[in-house]
Amino acid sequence: MGEAVKKLGYYAGGEWKPSKTSNYAKAYNPSTGEVIAMVPCCLSEEVEEAVDAASKAFPGWAATPVIKRVQILYRVRELLIEHMDELTMLVAQENGKAWDEAQGDVLKAKEGTEQAISAPSLMMGESMMDASKGYDTVLYRMPLGVFAGIIPFNFPAMIPMGWMTPMCIACGNTIVLKAATFTPQTCMRIAELYREAGLPDGVINIVTCSRNEAEILLTHPKVKGISFVGSTSVGMHIYSVAAAAGKRVQALCEAKNHALVLNDAPVKRVAAGIINSAFGCAGERCMALPVVVAQEGIADALVEEIVRQAKTITVGPAWEKTTKLGPVVNQAHKDSVIRWIEQGIAQGAKLVLDGRSTVVEGYEHGFYLGPTIFDQVKPGMSIGEKEIFGPVLCIKRVSGFEEGLAVMNQNPYANGSVIFTQNGHYAREFARHTDGGMVGINVGIPVPVGMFPFNGNKLSFIGDLHCLGKDGIRFYTENKVVTSRWFDEETANSTSVSTWDGTI
């Protein structure tokens, strides 16, 4: 497509600045394999500058009434709609999502913005008159200060500008985003829309850097909390370091979501749902469905139908609206997925559809992988247990509901879990006993709308408060409880002083 190569900077105090670093990384257009941006590894002092800018902006922003803060978010919402095609193309070009998926990424940023617009209601605290005789108590939800958002490559609009920024700033905080080196331009562009909407300088700041410089955010005394999305190993490190430094942390980590398919499920409809869940966004999402646990009575027919439908998927460049499966993000990630496929073959799983040789005519240098399906994946095979983050589906076979549920719950990750059945009893039992934090009943991707939290469990989440929903409000605020007592004219002049010891 011949995109011009941009040299990106960093955003601090409302101003784009060139980095003084000599270390730049290449960001690619995955559909063509061309370099489209040079991304700076910002220096430590530039990361510190972004934190300082956020800290300076905090007092004035926190003092702005919440009703006025969300007026800016109303304008941001309208700008997201106005620039929808531009932002969709930007996601497609830098991430590789097919057009509809890229648009969905931007729409999820809009959804998170709409949820944050509810902050005036959600931030309301609690109160009680005469909590004790003559004493009134009020709970307020207060902003904390500077937050840091550490962003993965796979949702360059939704995660920084749907999950993190809107709720954070609606609650009166400021934020420093560490954008993903592979896909930084979408959140940078949306930050410009925030400024166009009237957001004061310094409320949003953006850097790109390595883990070494990002470490500053984990211990910096001006940073009050960290929101992270990425691998479990990194999430555990971030949680341990930042929590030890007195910061609150929400770490949304990797996943290996499973779906249980019982014998009574409608094969064609279920297969279509699995195809969308397993291969959508090239499998590069933490709510992908990379494992199907099929009851033996339906397994053969289900595998046959999944393979049949998978072979009809159109693989192509992200911006072509006929494309259903775009490329993975870069060559290194493609190589990683191929190594996983080779490992599955070596472990003895049955490869029933191989996407490694996929080539798109006219885009031979793009990072394409076709749908890949393994059957007969047994316990202990790492392809069925570890996150691959690519268009690879594993089929495990079980005798029935109890064995299937046990297989699913043995996995250390519990972001989401799904059951396909027409049996209400099994559906209810599944919802009660699955470890998954987001549960689908005949729903392949059970991500709730933003008024509910993104609710991973076990090693898919480290922390106490999830993002979005009421958890999001609680994460970005701290409670302040104020107890008051007022005197009439007689008691005001009395020398008798009573003190409240907290008892009734």
Side-chain angles (χ1 to χ4, degrees), residues 5 23 62 118 135 143 156 188 194 226 307 335 375 396 441 477:
V5 177
N23 185 9
S118 301
Y135 292 84
M188 290 178 170
Y194 269 87
I226 308 287
V307 170
D335 292 342
D375 193 9
K396 300 177 181 180
I441 298 173
T477 58

Side-chain angles (χ1 to χ4, degrees), residues 259-275 279 289 291-310 352 373-375 393-398 419-420:
L260 176 57
V261 184
L262 299 184
N263 287 339
D264 65 342
V267 171
K268 288 187 178 180
R269 185 180 183 89
V270 169
I274 290 169
I275 290 285
F279 303 124
L289 186 59
V291 182
V292 169
V293 181
Q295 192 171 5
E296 283 288 0
I298 199 174
D300 286 342
L302 182 64
V303 171
E304 181 181 349
E305 182 62 22
I306 291 172
V307 170
R308 186 191 70 78
Q309 292 189 27
V352 294
I373 301 171
F374 282 100
D375 193 9
L393 175 64
C394 298
I395 312 292
K396 300 177 181 180
R397 296 180 178 228
V398 295
I419 186 170
F420 290 100

Side-chain angles (χ1 to χ4, degrees), residues 189-334:
R189 178 67 183 112
I190 296 176
E192 293 176 342
L193 298 182
Y194 269 87
R195 190 177 189 191
E196 184 178 336
L199 188 72
D201 293 344
V203 177
I204 296 176
N205 308 271
I206 302 175
V207 296
T208 49
C209 60
S210 75
R211 292 181 180 181
N212 294 329
E213 293 77 25
E215 201 79 7
I216 295 167
L217 301 171
L218 309 186
T219 57
H220 198 295
K222 292 179 180 177
V223 175
K224 303 303 180 184
I226 308 287
S227 183
F228 164 79
V229 181
S231 71
T232 296
S233 60
V234 175
M236 293 179 105
H237 170 76
I238 287 173
Y239 186 87
S240 61
V241 173
K247 307 183 190 313
R248 55 180 61 187
V249 182
Q250 55 179 200
L252 290 78
C253 300
E254 61 196 271
K256 194 69 171 181
N257 306 315
H258 286 48
L260 176 57
V261 184
L262 299 184
N263 287 339
D264 65 342
V267 171
K268 288 187 178 180
R269 185 180 183 89
V270 169
I274 290 169
I275 290 285
N276 178 53
S277 306
F279 303 124
C281 299
E284 295 173 326
R285 55 186 176 194
C286 55
M287 284 302 289
L289 186 59
V291 182
V292 169
V293 181
Q295 192 171 5
E296 283 288 0
I298 199 174
D300 286 342
L302 182 64
V303 171
E304 181 181 349
E305 182 62 22
I306 291 172
V307 170
R308 186 191 70 78
Q309 292 189 27
K311 288 179 177 178
T312 69
I313 294 174
T314 303
V315 181
W319 51 83
E320 293 288 348
K321 294 185 180 180
T322 55
T323 293
K324 297 303 179 185
L325 176 58
V328 297
V329 70
N330 57 32
Q331 185 64 49
H333 191 67
K334 178 180 176 179

